Amino acid sequence: MKRLRIITFFTSLLLSSGSLISQNDIEQEVKTDSLPKKELKYGIRVGVDMAKLARTAFSDNYSGFEILADYRFSKKFFIAGEIGSEQKDFESDYLDVTTKGNYLKAGLDYNMHDNLFPLDNMIYAGFRVGYSNFTQTINESTAYTVYPYWQPTPANTTERNFDNLSAIWVEVQFGIKAEVFTNLYLGVNAQLKHLVSEDQPDNFANLYIPGFNKVFEGAKIGAGFGYSISYRIPVYKK
């Protein structure tokens, strides 16, 4: 009888231990399943450059706009690009020139920032190849003279157009895109550009190239910046 009680006691103890282990496993699985999954949003993000719109509103010699877009195809990499149009008037004592044209830039962005879930911000570096097709119009020009008071030179008011000019450049971008509301982003970026090739009018140098910005004499380096607002159209998460 005593032996039977001992066997019954150990059997009950083993069954209780097994029950506790199974219960702990179930609770652990429930806790694991209840944790939110760190899913990234994939979709097309489209926006506009607010800096160009503001410059158009407040400047008398500039008008332009830019539409920008990107698409995430991996955790860190985005296909990105910009398309836009610009018109810039340049006036000095000797020249009155208008540059007008369109441009396209395409490349990749790499997000260097590791977000805390569920944030979806970017601190990125990007690379672009840019192409511009534009027109230079010389509205008025005056030949430079050493002694203009003693030898005045009349202005040439004959308008001269140089159509179908083009330029190609490469640029690197560094910027930030912050999600201020769900799928709505504000961004700022700086651009450093290198001019690869350009068409120039006869006896005249390009002063401005749409998309590239101001051209400095004897240099192929350009710079720019942008402020953007964009919205991501979510397609899926994974």
Side-chain angles (χ1 to χ4, degrees):
M1 179 64 70
K2 186 176 181 181
R3 182 179 297 177
L4 180 60
R5 289 179 179 176
I6 293 173
I7 293 173
T8 303
F9 171 75
F10 279 107
T11 302
S12 300
L13 183 62
L14 289 173
L15 290 174
S16 299
S17 300
S19 177
L20 288 174
I21 292 172
S22 299
Q23 185 176 352
N24 288 335
D25 290 341
I26 293 172
E27 289 178 354
Q28 186 66 31
E29 289 179 2
V30 170
K31 289 181 180 179
T32 303
D33 292 340
S34 63
L35 291 175
K37 295 181 179 179
K38 296 182 179 180
E39 294 181 322
L40 295 175
K41 292 181 287 186
Y42 286 72
I44 300 173
R45 181 165 42 195
V46 181
V48 295
D49 188 331
M50 299 298 293
K52 285 182 169 54
L53 295 180
R55 190 178 175 188
T56 299
F58 295 105
S59 176
D60 294 331
N61 60 4
Y62 175 88
S63 65
F65 72 90
E66 179 179 282
I67 299 173
L68 50 94
D70 66 30
Y71 177 79
R72 170 185 269 144
F73 66 92
S74 72
K75 181 180 179 181
K76 292 287 189 178
F77 284 96
F78 297 74
I79 298 173
E82 296 84 22
I83 185 171
S85 178
E86 291 185 304
Q87 178 175 318
K88 181 74 170 66
D89 297 324
F90 178 85
E91 295 183 14
S92 70
D93 294 336
Y94 302 97
L95 277 176
D96 182 351
V97 180
T98 299
T99 303
K100 183 178 182 180
N102 305 312
Y103 64 90
L104 172 67
K105 298 189 291 184
L108 294 174
D109 286 338
Y110 175 75
N111 187 10
M112 301 179 290
H113 179 60
D114 291 323
N115 285 289
L116 296 175
F117 184 78
L119 299 178
D120 189 25
N121 302 320
M122 287 182 67
I123 300 175
Y124 69 93
F127 176 80
R128 302 284 190 277
V129 176
Y131 172 80
S132 179
N133 182 267
F134 58 98
T135 298
Q136 297 277 19
T137 301
I138 302 178
N139 303 307
E140 184 177 310
S141 62
T142 303
Y144 176 77
T145 59
V146 179
Y147 303 106
Y149 296 104
W150 300 104
Q151 296 176 337
T153 303
N156 183 356
T157 58
T158 302
E159 187 176 280
R160 289 178 289 168
N161 292 313
F162 301 93
D163 300 323
N164 294 321
L165 303 175
S166 63
I168 298 174
W169 68 92
V170 294
E171 71 177 60
V172 291
Q173 290 189 10
F174 297 96
I176 297 172
K177 290 182 181 179
E179 188 175 22
V180 292
F181 296 104
T182 303
N183 294 321
L184 184 66
Y185 298 81
L186 293 180
V188 59
N189 69 77
Q191 308 151 18
L192 182 63
K193 311 163 190 276
H194 176 74
L195 191 61
V196 176
S197 66
E198 62 172 322
D199 296 332
Q200 290 187 344
D202 296 334
N203 301 319
F204 183 73
N206 292 316
L207 302 175
Y208 192 90
I209 296 175
F212 182 85
N213 295 336
K214 186 176 180 180
V215 181
F216 296 94
E217 185 177 358
K220 293 184 177 294
I221 301 298
F225 66 93
Y227 298 101
S228 65
I229 180 170
S230 56
Y231 181 81
R232 172 175 286 153
I233 304 171
V235 177
Y236 62 93
K237 295 181 180 181
K238 73 173 184 178

